[in-house]
Amino acid sequence: MKRTPLRAGKPLARRTRLARSAKRITTRTVSQRFAKRRDPAYQAFVRGYPCALAGRQAVDGRWHQCRGAVEFSHVKSRGAGGDDVGNGVPLCSGGHRWDAKAWHVMGPASFQRFWRIDLEEIAASLATMWREQEGA
């Protein structure tokens, strides 16, 4: 794309009002989309369980040390389309924040091999228990 220098005394071309409004994205529609996929009751249910990494020994021989309160951690990120039900595991603050950095560096498959854990299986079993509890 060739750029032309601005000339003195010549104003910049402005877009019309209709063109400006057509490109505008409001935050309200984005937040509503994510709000439909949230389930605070399910998150509280998952937080009631102990950390999924508690008592686990990594491949390198170190043991996971739980730190802080249990948090709801998505297996598949919300940005990638992960809902809450069937997609969350309980992790302590240490596992969720510090060890999750390794998740992003290694990738999910390597992270799960490193900790010898299947987070998708844990998330699925928690969702099954939730549905049974809700149906009863």
Side-chain angles (χ1 to χ4, degrees):
M1 175 170 95
K2 184 178 176 182
R3 296 179 182 226
T4 58
L6 292 176
R7 295 185 189 145
K10 185 170 184 173
L12 294 174
R14 298 199 183 268
R15 295 182 1 202
T16 64
R17 193 166 127 194
L18 181 62
R20 277 196 307 258
S21 64
K23 297 262 182 186
R24 189 177 302 153
I25 298 174
T26 61
T27 56
R28 173 177 253 159
T29 55
V30 174
S31 63
Q32 284 177 349
R33 190 172 357 140
F34 282 119
K36 291 178 185 174
R37 298 191 339 227
R38 282 191 176 163
D39 191 351
Y42 181 72
Q43 289 182 1
F45 170 78
V46 171
R47 278 190 228 105
Y49 285 89
C51 176
L53 296 178
R56 295 242 175 226
Q57 186 176 18
V59 174
D60 65 357
R62 71 180 172 110
W63 291 87
H64 174 73
Q65 298 292 324
C66 284
R67 296 173 293 230
V70 174
E71 299 176 359
F72 182 87
S73 178
H74 289 93
V75 177
K76 181 180 179 182
S77 72
R78 291 180 59 229
D83 295 341
D84 281 353
V85 179
N87 186 36
V89 293
L91 290 178
C92 66
S93 295
H96 192 203
R97 295 204 175 95
W98 292 285
D99 290 332
K101 287 181 184 175
W103 174 285
H104 297 290
V105 172
M106 294 183 204
S110 298
F111 178 84
Q112 292 182 63
R113 275 195 308 272
F114 180 76
W115 282 109
R116 300 175 180 145
I117 192 169
D118 187 3
L119 295 177
E120 287 91 0
E121 181 181 320
I122 294 170
S125 66
L126 285 170
T128 303
M129 288 189 291
W130 169 254
R131 288 183 186 110
E132 288 173 357
Q133 178 182 333
E134 287 295 303

